[in-house]
Amino acid sequence: MSRPSKLQLDFIDGLRAIAALYILFHHALQSTGYFPPALHFMGRGHDVVAIFITISGFYLALPLAQRGNWNLEATRFYQKRMRRILPPYFAAIGVALCW
């Protein structure tokens, strides 16, 4: 039985990239302390962070939805994520405690 091909939604990657760039420019302008009147719309960076997180969560759930077996696939998915994320997390906690 062959694995289904990976669902590729380029427009989601594009939306996520636009949100990330918006946040980057928002922080750059915020660090100067001055938002020029023409760039006043750049003051919504906190809202765009929520949009970025929502898009990322949707994108992470796509492989689970495509395979259809949510319980088994979700368990494997979270096990792989924990193996990848927790070691540097605990290392950072250790460094912070020793600091």
Side-chain angles (χ1 to χ4, degrees), residues 14-25:
L15 289 174
R16 204 165 75 161
I18 290 169
L21 287 173
Y22 184 102
I23 294 164
L24 176 80
F25 288 123

Side-chain angles (χ1 to χ4, degrees), residues 16-75:
R16 204 165 75 161
I18 290 169
L21 287 173
Y22 184 102
I23 294 164
L24 176 80
F25 288 123
H26 169 78
H27 285 300
L29 285 171
Q30 193 176 31
S31 68
T32 66
Y34 174 69
F35 280 92
L39 297 177
H40 184 68
F41 69 93
M42 293 296 294
R44 306 296 299 190
H46 294 74
D47 298 329
V48 177
V49 169
I51 293 169
F52 177 82
I53 290 170
T54 302
I55 293 170
S56 297
F58 174 77
Y59 198 64
L60 284 172
L62 279 178
L64 297 175
Q66 186 178 12
R67 290 186 187 111
N69 189 353
W70 282 87
N71 292 334
L72 183 59
E73 291 297 326
T75 301

